[in-house]
Structures are given as C-alpha cells and as structure tokens.
C-alpha cells in the first residue's frame, strides 16, 4: 500500500482527504435528515457535474449560488474533514451531500431514512482514464507510473474507495427503493435536458422551462470549465496542479479508446464480464462491450 493511502475496513482512503475519525463519525453518528439529498459516486463518474445540477435545481435555475460558492461548500463530501460540521451548521434545506463512500459505510445512517440518494455511474473504462489523469494532477492520489500499473491497481482494489465493481453492486442494492435514483454519466451526455427533468421529478421539484434551460446552460462542460467555483482552480497548486491535467479535462464518452492498448482493453472486458456476469442490469456501455465480445468470437 502506498503511503498516500490508509486502509479502513478493507478499503483504501486518501491520507490527504479523510481520517479514520471522520469515517467513523460518518458511519455511526452523522444525523441524516429525511429531506437530505445524497449525490453518490465512485470517483470520476460525474460527481461535480451532479453537484452543479443539484445546486441549480435547488435554486430554481438561478446560477448565483453556483457562481459564488465553491462546490465543496454547496454539497460537501461528507467523508472529508470538517464537512460533517459544515453540513450540521448549514442553513440550506434540503442539504446537498456528496460522497464517494461504498454503501457499507453509509448503510447504518441511511437506515429507515427517507433521504434521497442519486447514484451516478460512468463507463468504468472512462472512469479509469479520468482517474489516471486525476492521479497525476492531485495530491490525493499516488501518481501512477503508467496505464498498465494504474489498471493493475484499479482491478486489485489498490485505489481509494475500493473496487468500482463492489461500489456499483453495493449501491445498486438500493435499486427499486422510492428514495433511490440511478443516473449515468452517459445519459447526462446524451440527453442532459431530459436527465435534468427526470432528476427534478425524483426530487419533487417543479421547475418551469426557463429554469430548466438555465440549469442546462450552466452545467455545460464549457460553463463549468470557466466557473472557478466548479473547476477546482481555487485550490492551491499543491492540491491540484491543472498544468499537469485540468480537472475539467475532456468531458467526453469513450476517451478510453484513445488510451487503452488492445491488450489492456481485452483484459478490461474479461474482468468486467467476470465481475458483472451475475448482475442483471445492463448499462449504456454494455452494448459496446457486447459488440466487442461478439467480434472476438468471430
Ligand atoms: S471527482 O474528483 O470524483 O469529484 O470527479 P468527477 O466530478 O466525478 O469526475 C470528473 C470527470 O467528469 C467530467 N465532467 C464533465 N463532463 C461533461 N460535462 C460536464 N459538465 C462535466 N463536469 C465534469 C470531467 O471532465 C472529468 O472527466 P474527464 O474524462 O477526466 O474529462
């Protein structure tokens, strides 16, 4: 294990972004309110995109909050130091709460709660590529030597927040509950307006067309890249060095095709297939995997 990370209950966490005490507090003592909204993701799956969407929906399309308050104060990562405190002091209702935690760490505090959970997932190949670049630019992750060694860590749970597969399977156990919504990064890309409308419906928020237009306009990749309350450029370079790779990097579907070798892609497909074989859901990227699989059988 790298000295960048520590292990808690079988999962690695970045030394720089949380502590065992914070995790124990969140796990056992954090008081969830029934009107809380949780934005949950495996890292690099669309977390900050969802923060901007939820903030704008919360303010009925008015972008002032998004443009004046950093995302980590609007929707704090509950596992980060001082976040729980910030949330307890917050006067905003509902509270917007972000988390990368695997479900087992939030099961106890969510038990019996009506708090809403939006779980966003992204093609794990694109998630891995995005995480590879994030690992190069941020102090929270160990700088990977190359894509091969990074993917080895990705598959062997040697990265913060553990296995992508366990994360997804764990949170998907909530599928079917009234207070759970699954969202994909790909859906946001392919139909942003439709996704915003669905999220409003899930939250019980009625926004008129003009307000929805404003949400869509202010959460575009370009708008977020230019908004220093959303793009992390407010953080000192020691935390994130945007010269190495910007946080708002490419924002596309399928960038893995520009990075994986044929062998890496085949290895990825093999592991994905084995891990997800008993999982009944299909995701937007599964059809592509299927096609590749079919090609390999010819
Ligand atoms: S983090 O660090 O876990 O909170 O990162 P996260 O926000 O989950 O993921 C960052 C990636 O999401 C992309 N992103 C977007 N793509 C398209 N449109 C919008 N508006 C948008 N906002 C964030 C961001 O560019 C990162 O993906 P990559 O592939 O690295 O560009």
């Amino acid at each position: 294990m790298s000295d960048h990370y520590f292990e808690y209950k079988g999962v690695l966490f970045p030394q720089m972004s949380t502590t065992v005490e914070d995790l124990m507090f969140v796990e056992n003592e954090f008081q969830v309110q029934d009107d809380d909204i949780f934005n949950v993701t495996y890292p690099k799956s669309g977390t900050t995109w969802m923060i901007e969407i939820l903030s704008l929906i919360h303010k009925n399309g008015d972008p002032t909050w998004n443009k004046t308050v950093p995302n980590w104060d609007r929707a704090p990562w509950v596992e980060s130091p001082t976040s729980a405190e910030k949330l307890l002091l917050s006067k905003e209702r509902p509270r917007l709460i972000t988390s990368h935690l695997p479900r087992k760490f939030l099961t106890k505090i969510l038990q019996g709660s009506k708090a809403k959970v939006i779980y966003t997932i992204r093609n794990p190949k694109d998630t891995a590529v995005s995480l590879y670049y994030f690992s190069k630019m941020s102090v929270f992750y160990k700088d990977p030597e190359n894509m091969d060694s990074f993917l080895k860590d990705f598959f062997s749970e040697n990265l913060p927040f553990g296995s992508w597969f366990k994360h997804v399977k764990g949170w998907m156990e909530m599928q079917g509950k009234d207070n759970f919504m699954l969202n994909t990064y790909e859906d946001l890309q392919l139909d942003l307006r439709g996704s915003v409308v669905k999220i409003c419906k899930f939250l019980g928020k009625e926004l008129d067309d003009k307000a929805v237009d404003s949400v869509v306009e202010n959460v575009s990749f370009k708008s977020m890249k230019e908004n220093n309350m959303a793009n992390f450029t407010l953080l000192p370079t020691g935390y994130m060095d945007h010269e190495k790779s910007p946080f708002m990097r490419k924002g596309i579907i399928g960038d893995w095709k520009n990075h994986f070798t044929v062998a890496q892609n085949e290895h990825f497909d093999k592991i994905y297939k084995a891990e997800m074989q008993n999982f009944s859901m299909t995701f937007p990227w599964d059809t592509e995997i299927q096609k590749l699989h079919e090609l390999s059988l010819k």
Side-chain angles (χ1 to χ4, degrees):
M1 187 190 3
S2 150
D3 55 7
H4 267 73
Y5 309 139
F6 67 89
E7 189 180 326
Y8 178 62
K9 297 197 170 173
V11 176
L12 297 187
F13 293 94
Q15 298 276 11
M16 292 292 290
S17 74
T18 189
T19 65
V20 170
E21 291 71 32
D22 288 313
L23 293 170
M24 283 173 70
F25 180 80
V26 173
E27 213 184 353
N28 300 303
E29 291 174 55
F30 183 73
Q31 296 289 315
V32 176
Q33 309 290 327
D34 274 344
D35 62 349
D36 285 343
I37 299 169
F38 280 78
N39 164 30
V40 183
T41 57
Y42 188 83
K44 314 319 284 184
S45 304
T47 327
T48 50
W49 201 356
M50 188 54 67
I51 293 179
E52 296 311 295
I53 294 171
L54 293 176
S55 302
L56 276 143
I57 292 176
H58 177 56
K59 297 291 181 186
N60 299 307
D62 178 350
T64 313
W65 199 38
N66 293 51
K67 290 189 175 169
T68 52
V69 178
N71 58 8
W72 58 81
D73 283 339
R74 283 180 274 123
W77 276 252
V78 70
E79 58 269 18
S80 299
T82 74
S83 279
E85 210 177 304
K86 268 188 221 164
L87 284 160
L88 294 174
L89 295 173
S90 168
K91 290 190 177 58
E92 294 288 340
R93 285 292 181 281
R95 300 183 300 185
L96 306 181
I97 303 173
T98 300
S99 184
H100 288 318
L101 290 174
R103 181 162 175 243
K104 68 177 184 182
F105 294 97
L106 294 180
T107 310
K108 186 169 166 186
I109 61 160
L110 284 173
Q111 186 77 36
S113 166
K114 293 194 179 91
K116 293 198 165 72
V117 175
I118 301 181
Y119 185 57
T120 302
I121 53 177
R122 182 182 192 184
N123 185 340
K125 292 181 183 176
D126 285 334
T127 300
V129 169
S130 182
L131 195 48
Y132 174 79
Y133 282 97
F134 185 69
S135 304
K136 296 201 154 293
M137 64 86 76
S138 93
V139 74
F140 307 108
Y141 279 64
K142 190 183 81 167
D143 190 352
E145 262 173 52
N146 52 47
M147 189 59 89
D148 258 340
S149 66
F150 177 79
L151 287 176
K152 208 167 155 210
D153 285 344
F154 185 82
F155 291 129
S156 54
E157 303 187 31
N158 219 359
L159 291 176
F161 304 100
S163 148
W164 181 90
F165 300 99
K166 284 188 184 160
H167 206 282
V168 170
K169 289 185 222 174
W171 280 103
M172 290 307 295
E173 281 171 16
M174 280 191 81
Q175 179 80 322
K177 290 192 189 293
D178 288 348
N179 63 336
F180 180 81
M181 179 183 186
L182 172 67
N183 173 63
T184 71
Y185 178 93
E186 289 72 18
D187 284 342
L188 294 178
Q189 285 275 6
L190 300 171
D191 181 11
L192 182 54
R193 198 171 209 289
S195 299
V196 169
V197 169
K198 269 191 217 154
I199 294 166
C200 286
K201 197 167 166 221
F202 172 68
L203 298 177
K205 282 283 285 187
E206 283 185 26
L207 264 60
D208 61 24
D209 283 353
K210 219 173 123 211
V212 175
D213 288 345
S214 171
V215 177
V216 171
E217 186 188 319
N218 284 287
V219 305
S220 70
F221 185 79
K222 185 171 178 290
S223 300
M224 281 180 58
K225 198 173 171 75
E226 286 166 1
N227 179 4
N228 62 6
M229 298 294 153
N231 65 16
F232 290 98
T233 53
L234 288 182
L235 284 182
T237 321
Y239 284 91
M240 287 190 196
D241 186 345
H242 298 261
E243 294 285 316
K244 288 186 181 159
S245 176
F247 182 91
M248 296 294 295
R249 195 181 59 89
K250 277 196 183 171
I252 58 169
I253 294 176
D255 194 33
W256 64 267
K257 289 177 190 159
N258 300 315
H259 290 87
F260 289 177
T261 61
V262 172
Q264 285 166 344
N265 187 40
E266 282 174 1
H267 184 58
F268 208 116
D269 285 343
K270 200 171 144 205
I271 293 184
Y272 183 91
K273 201 168 162 256
E275 287 276 359
M276 304 301 270
Q277 63 179 344
N278 294 325
F279 199 64
S280 54
M281 283 195 61
T282 47
F283 298 108
W285 54 86
D286 279 331
T287 46
E288 192 169 44
I289 301 251
Q290 183 64 34
K291 267 188 236 147
L292 283 170
H293 180 64
E294 282 163 11
L295 274 179
S296 73
L297 292 178
K298 279 186 183 169

